[in-house]
Amino acid sequence: SLERIVGVRVFERTSRSVVLSQAGELLLLEAELTLAQAERAQAVVQRAGRGELGRICVAYAGSTLYSGQLSTMVYQFHRRFPQVNVEVVELSIGEQLDRLGRGLIDVGILRTPLARTPDGIKTIEVLAEPVVLAIRRDHELARLNIIDIAALSEERFVSSQTPEFGILKQVMEAAARSGYIPQIVRATHFGAIVSLVSAGLGVAAVPDSARTLRLPGVVYRELGGVMPSPVAIAYRTDNA
């Protein structure tokens, strides 16, 4: 019986009624609390399974920051799932693909094209931006409204990416069609690119949204011969 299990008298019995003893009332209260906690635990587990609780890590390539895609996605996700902790980190495209493959991040915001897409990772393009050229105002080509990629064979291109991905891949391919291989100046991160252009270390192919970066002596011109740059969401197919 219940009383044998708990080792105390749970009921007060008389010839006319059976009522809970003081210990029985405490036992009932604890049982109700335990049941409520179990139901809450089940609900929490179910919501976590649907991605409504816990933590999500979103990585972005620096070149996507000014497109508004990151802020829009995080804002909409947070409004829908306010109890999910959203962690945001800047990673290169290559780092994103590596960490997605190892399950260290949940979503990547990057630029295509990609020389390779690891197995189990899917990308969905969400917008495309024109590619423009950041160039010093006193450069002889800056007088032109449109500068064709073919006219830049003697220039050094500043980039924070590697030639396998994104805008730099597009530039390398467009330059190859014009008969040359661009010289690349490496920037440690996207935010440093326009600073290096301002310093006279080269020109840079950047997304149109980067026009918001205003540095002394730098202007932006349309870049001919390079297709618009797609922004894509990347994720693991087993985490969809």
Side-chain angles (χ1 to χ4, degrees), residues 78-131:
H78 185 66
R79 286 196 64 185
R80 184 176 178 185
F81 305 117
Q83 295 180 337
V84 177
N85 180 36
V86 181
E87 179 183 346
V88 179
V89 60
E90 180 177 355
L91 295 173
S92 70
I93 297 173
E95 289 173 324
Q96 288 189 44
L97 295 175
D98 175 66
R99 296 195 188 189
L100 277 169
R102 293 190 288 149
L104 299 179
I105 62 174
D106 300 291
V107 179
I109 303 176
L110 45 75
R111 287 189 182 273
T112 58
L114 309 175
R116 63 186 184 280
T117 303
D119 292 340
I121 294 177
K122 183 175 182 180
T123 60
I124 299 177
E125 294 181 2
V126 292
L127 62 89
E129 289 187 85
V131 177

Side-chain angles (χ1 to χ4, degrees), residues 142-189:
R143 59 185 174 79
L144 303 174
N145 292 324
I146 303 175
I147 302 174
D148 194 271
I149 189 74
L152 299 169
S153 60
E154 301 301 317
E155 303 297 328
R156 293 176 296 178
F157 284 79
V158 183
S159 176
S160 60
Q161 290 294 342
T162 56
E164 296 89 355
F165 310 113
I167 291 177
L168 185 54
K169 179 172 170 46
Q170 292 178 271
V171 167
M172 298 295 289
E173 293 173 348
R177 291 192 294 270
S178 296
Y180 70 95
I181 299 175
Q183 304 175 62
I184 306 300
V185 176
R186 294 286 297 165
T188 55
H189 56 85

Side-chain angles (χ1 to χ4, degrees), residues 18-237:
V18 177
V19 297
L20 287 172
S21 66
Q22 183 177 12
E25 290 176 349
L26 290 174
L27 178 61
L28 176 62
L29 176 61
E30 289 298 322
E32 290 174 341
L33 291 174
T34 299
L35 180 60
Q37 180 62 31
E39 292 174 345
R40 181 177 181 277
Q42 181 182 11
V44 167
V45 170
Q46 290 173 342
R47 292 186 66 189
R50 295 194 299 266
E52 298 173 10
L53 285 176
R55 168 187 167 277
I56 183 171
C57 183
V58 179
Y60 67 95
S63 63
T64 67
L65 184 61
Y66 306 98
S67 69
Q69 191 61 38
L70 172 67
S71 55
T72 298
M73 187 181 79
V74 171
Y75 175 74
Q76 291 177 348
F77 184 88
H78 185 66
R79 286 196 64 185
R80 184 176 178 185
F81 305 117
Q83 295 180 337
V84 177
N85 180 36
V86 181
E87 179 183 346
V88 179
V89 60
E90 180 177 355
L91 295 173
S92 70
I93 297 173
E95 289 173 324
Q96 288 189 44
L97 295 175
D98 175 66
R99 296 195 188 189
L100 277 169
R102 293 190 288 149
L104 299 179
I105 62 174
D106 300 291
V107 179
I109 303 176
L110 45 75
R111 287 189 182 273
T112 58
L114 309 175
R116 63 186 184 280
T117 303
D119 292 340
I121 294 177
K122 183 175 182 180
T123 60
I124 299 177
E125 294 181 2
V126 292
L127 62 89
E129 289 187 85
V131 177
V132 299
L133 189 73
I135 188 171
R136 277 199 57 89
R137 185 185 302 276
D138 54 8
H139 193 290
E140 62 179 355
L141 293 176
R143 59 185 174 79
L144 303 174
N145 292 324
I146 303 175
I147 302 174
D148 194 271
I149 189 74
L152 299 169
S153 60
E154 301 301 317
E155 303 297 328
R156 293 176 296 178
F157 284 79
V158 183
S159 176
S160 60
Q161 290 294 342
T162 56
E164 296 89 355
F165 310 113
I167 291 177
L168 185 54
K169 179 172 170 46
Q170 292 178 271
V171 167
M172 298 295 289
E173 293 173 348
R177 291 192 294 270
S178 296
Y180 70 95
I181 299 175
Q183 304 175 62
I184 306 300
V185 176
R186 294 286 297 165
T188 55
H189 56 85
F190 184 79
I193 290 176
V194 180
S195 293
L196 296 183
V197 173
S198 178
L201 297 183
V203 299
V206 296
D208 188 64
S209 56
R211 289 177 183 266
T212 57
L213 296 174
R214 299 291 183 183
L215 270 77
V218 177
V219 294
Y220 297 90
R221 298 291 184 258
E222 293 183 36
L223 181 57
V226 179
M227 296 294 291
S229 170
V231 175
I233 305 298
Y235 60 92
R236 288 173 60 92
T237 54

